[in-house]
Amino acid sequence: MAFMSGFTPYFIAVFCVLIVCFWIQLQREKKTKELKGESDSTSKAKPWVDQDLQDDTEIPSPNQGDDEEDDPGSELDLPHVPYAPPRYAVDSMLERSRDFYTLLNQRRSVRFISPEPVPREVIDNVIRTAGTAPSGAHTEPWTFVVVSDPDTKHAIRTIVEEEEEVNYRQRMGNKWVKDLAKIRTTWVKEYLDVAPYLLLIFKQTYGIGTGGKRKTHYYNEISVSISCGMLLAALQNVGLVTVTSTPLNCGPRLRVILQRPTNEKLLMLLPIGYPSDDATVPDLKRKPLDDIMVHI
Amino acid sequence: MAFMSGFTPYFIAVFCVLIVCFWIQLQREKKTKELKGESDSTSKAKPWVDQDLQDDTEIPSPNQGDDEEDDPGSELDLPHVPYAPPRYAVDSMLERSRDFYTLLNQRRSVRFISPEPVPREVIDNVIRTAGTAPSGAHTEPWTFVVVSDPDTKHAIRTIVEEEEEVNYRQRMGNKWVKDLAKIRTTWVKEYLDVAPYLLLIFKQTYGIGTGGKRKTHYYNEISVSISCGMLLAALQNVGLVTVTSTPLNCGPRLRVILQRPTNEKLLMLLPIGYPSDDATVPDLKRKPLDDIMVHI
């Protein structure tokens, strides 16, 4: 014991140093993880993934089950009713399928939009159409914000261009900049001022039921994207154009100026209008059927 | 120095023990992280999230930039061409927007599908229409697998029902089971045998260019979902019905029996056909326009 007591102070000193080293290492790892999680926008690992969209709101909190809305009078409790949609003869089906393909195949993403006014009722009907999309457990997790006020449009443009410039200059790798340069996208988006309407499509990451209880929105991003597909078809059907953009890292700022609640996240921003007289599009082709379809 | 050498062996022993402890701790943390990442399918944290869809293929590997396809002759290098889609008078626009809304508002998710044959050309045109959707950097990251072979349909049904039963009985919380019970979904999916076509929609999480180099597919899930929205509109337009399902945890097994490559992940499974004569749907309503639209 006398021998042991001789080096105990040194032992303790060394032990303490190692404990401190271990603690520092743990803190450093923790910090790295946090940084990875929060500042991917400035890293090059996944620059095109909008951090704001990577919400964890689909993960229920431990006691979320208790807080959840039970929907006692939900419409989903309703009984079944017969369903008999219109039925077309084979010839008519073939013709309709060809005509609809022809119509939608004329659709292109257009960045040159005319300032001419567009009847509001047409936009309303287009959004009504988008609202017919299916959604996980019929939650209808979408909010369509239509902006025609010039000041708000300009404020949106300012935010989008500021973030886009940062995206291009700092966040993106050369590959992305090169990919987009090919379709002549830049961070100057004049159409955000010019188009008679900007449509900002928000996904509701969760719902709020009566009494403020949270309601899970299963597959909300997929549902809202499907709805957007119907919206694009509806726009094409009335001769209006748009470009489907996913404004990277603008979501939180745009949400604030549009006064949307925190359960809503911006998924897409679409300028809507007639094409301008001098509108052009890149002369690209679509894959032929055999490249996108397999039959078994 | 003589004093120092007296406890050096003890010092080394203690040091080694601490190093080992430190290493064990690190390994343990690593393991925890891996488990968290891989076994969520059996945990209750996020039971409705398909692990197979949570691919990390959008994260480039450190040297992926070098491996990536440069698309030297890409169609995106093409020059711009004038774009002048059909323009309708205001009255006509209004009428078209109303008619299209009426058509799509009749669409419902239908689980009662008739075995009657449907012309293949109609299905081809519907898929051609879906292929006109916009996609991130025009990557067209979709594969539509049309199955009419009865044995393959039955094999698909077997896999889907097996996984669904596990989902319902083990993976899902009470909340989810209750939500879906309301729309009378069970894990028995007779329509997968009965429907003349099953359409399995795969998202290509990355592309493979000439020479086997990887091509980044930006926003592939959103793009494929938009394409699915157009497909649903095209089906409704010809009087066919479907139900948009996202078969949880079936992706890898279905991918294998359909012999799809590993860059493709199953996003949706749609049985397609005429509605059966006794088809019913839950008598649910859609939100009115004012609940989904905000005007600024």
Side-chain angles (χ1 to χ4, degrees), chain A residues 3 7 10-11 14 18 22 25-26 29 45-46 48 58-60 68 70 75-83 86-88 93-94 96-98 100-101 105-108 110 116 120-121 124-125 128-129 131-134 138-140 143-149 175-176 178-179 182-183 218-219 221-222 225-226 229-230 232 234 237-239 246 248 258 260 274 279-287 292-296, chain B residues 3 10-11 14 18 22 25-26 29 45-46 48 58-60 68-71 75-83 86-88 93-94 96-98 100-101 105-108 110 116 120-121 124-125 127-129 132-134 138-140 143-149 175-176 178-179 182-183 218-219 221-222 225-226 229-230 232 234 237-240 246 248 258 260 274 279-281 283-287 292-296:
Chain A
F3 170 75
F7 67 84
Y10 293 92
F11 173 80
V14 168
L18 285 169
F22 183 61
Q25 177 65 20
L26 269 187
E29 279 193 19
K46 218 172 170 180
W48 56 87
E58 286 205 346
I59 305 171
E68 260 182 33
D70 243 2
E75 291 172 303
L76 299 181
D77 275 326
L78 296 169
H80 273 226
V81 291
Y83 180 70
R87 174 149 180 171
Y88 309 100
M93 278 178 96
L94 277 168
R96 290 177 71 91
S97 70
R98 265 183 241 119
F100 195 63
Y101 167 61
N105 196 33
Q106 286 171 355
R107 190 203 57 79
R108 295 296 307 270
V110 177
E116 291 164 90
R120 245 316 280 290
E121 200 185 326
D124 288 355
N125 286 338
R128 278 191 184 96
T129 308
T132 67
H138 195 53
T139 45
E140 302 172 275
T143 305
F144 299 92
V145 181
V146 178
V147 179
S148 56
D149 171 60
K175 176 76 180 92
W176 171 268
K178 219 162 43 176
D179 276 2
K182 290 175 189 168
I183 43 177
Y218 311 105
Y219 298 113
E221 185 166 302
I222 292 177
S225 301
I226 289 175
M230 293 185 166
L232 293 177
N237 177 62
V238 293
T246 43
L248 205 58
L258 300 173
R260 300 311 307 156
Y274 299 102
T280 60
V281 292
D283 190 19
L284 50 82
K285 299 288 177 286
R286 293 190 170 115
K287 291 179 183 171
I292 65 170
M293 189 184 74
V294 175
H295 183 236
I296 294 174
Chain B
F3 171 77
Y10 294 92
F11 174 81
V14 168
L18 286 169
F22 183 62
Q25 176 66 20
L26 270 186
E29 280 194 18
K46 219 174 172 179
W48 56 86
E58 287 204 346
I59 306 171
E68 260 182 34
E69 177 65 8
D70 242 3
D71 277 332
E75 292 173 304
L76 298 181
D77 274 325
L78 296 167
H80 272 227
V81 291
Y83 180 69
R87 176 150 179 168
Y88 308 100
M93 277 177 97
L94 278 168
R96 290 178 69 91
S97 70
R98 266 184 241 118
F100 195 63
Y101 167 62
N105 197 32
Q106 287 171 353
R107 190 203 57 79
R108 294 295 307 272
V110 177
E116 291 165 272
R120 247 313 283 288
E121 199 184 328
D124 288 355
N125 286 338
I127 291 170
R128 277 192 185 95
T129 307
T132 67
H138 194 52
T139 45
E140 301 172 277
T143 304
F144 299 93
V145 181
V146 178
V147 179
S148 56
D149 172 58
K175 176 78 180 96
W176 170 270
K178 220 163 45 179
D179 277 3
K182 290 174 188 167
I183 41 176
Y218 311 105
Y219 298 112
E221 186 166 302
I222 292 176
S225 301
I226 290 174
M230 292 185 167
L232 294 177
N237 177 61
V238 293
L240 295 175
T246 43
L248 205 59
L258 300 173
R260 301 310 308 155
Y274 298 102
T280 61
V281 293
D283 191 19
L284 51 80
K285 300 286 177 289
R286 294 190 169 113
K287 291 179 182 171
I292 64 170
M293 190 185 73
V294 175
H295 183 233
I296 294 173

